[in-house]
């Protein structure tokens, strides 16, 4: 998800997207920690970065309101 797409979302949509992304991140970590490693372990880093961006934009929107 691009930064502009994140900025275009409302606060409620961002909260929901953060919850979904954290769930997906948890699944990836569990899958990676088992005996079968991920095909693309960089997905974890990318997803963590997206969650951080969404939290930052959400906080900015809270401060503006």
């Amino acid at each position: 998800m691009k930064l502009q797409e994140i900025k275009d979302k409302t606060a409620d949509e961002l909260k929901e997207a953060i919850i979904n992304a954290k769930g997906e991140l948890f699944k990836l970590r569990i899958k990676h920690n088992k005996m079968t490693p991920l095909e693309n372990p960089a997905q974890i880093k990318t997803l963590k970065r997206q969650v951080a961006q969404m939290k930052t934009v959400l906080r900015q929107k809270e401060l503006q309101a």
Side-chain angles (χ1 to χ4, degrees):
M1 187 179 317
K2 300 287 184 183
L3 185 59
Q4 188 60 40
E5 293 173 7
I6 293 172
K7 287 182 178 181
D8 290 340
K9 291 187 177 202
T10 64
D12 292 332
E13 289 174 339
L14 279 174
K15 288 177 185 177
E16 186 176 324
I18 289 170
I19 291 170
N20 292 338
K22 282 186 174 183
E24 187 178 339
L25 183 60
F26 178 75
K27 289 177 188 175
L28 283 176
R29 284 182 175 160
I30 295 298
K31 195 175 191 181
H32 186 62
N33 286 338
K34 290 191 174 184
M35 298 300 268
T36 58
L38 293 175
E39 290 180 16
N40 186 6
Q43 288 175 324
I44 295 173
K45 181 180 178 180
T46 303
L47 199 54
K48 283 172 56 177
R49 183 172 288 150
Q50 285 179 356
V51 169
Q53 286 175 341
M54 287 188 276
K55 283 184 171 184
T56 301
V57 171
L58 180 63
R59 182 67 179 148
Q60 288 173 347
K61 288 181 184 233
E62 288 174 352
L63 291 175
Q64 288 177 354

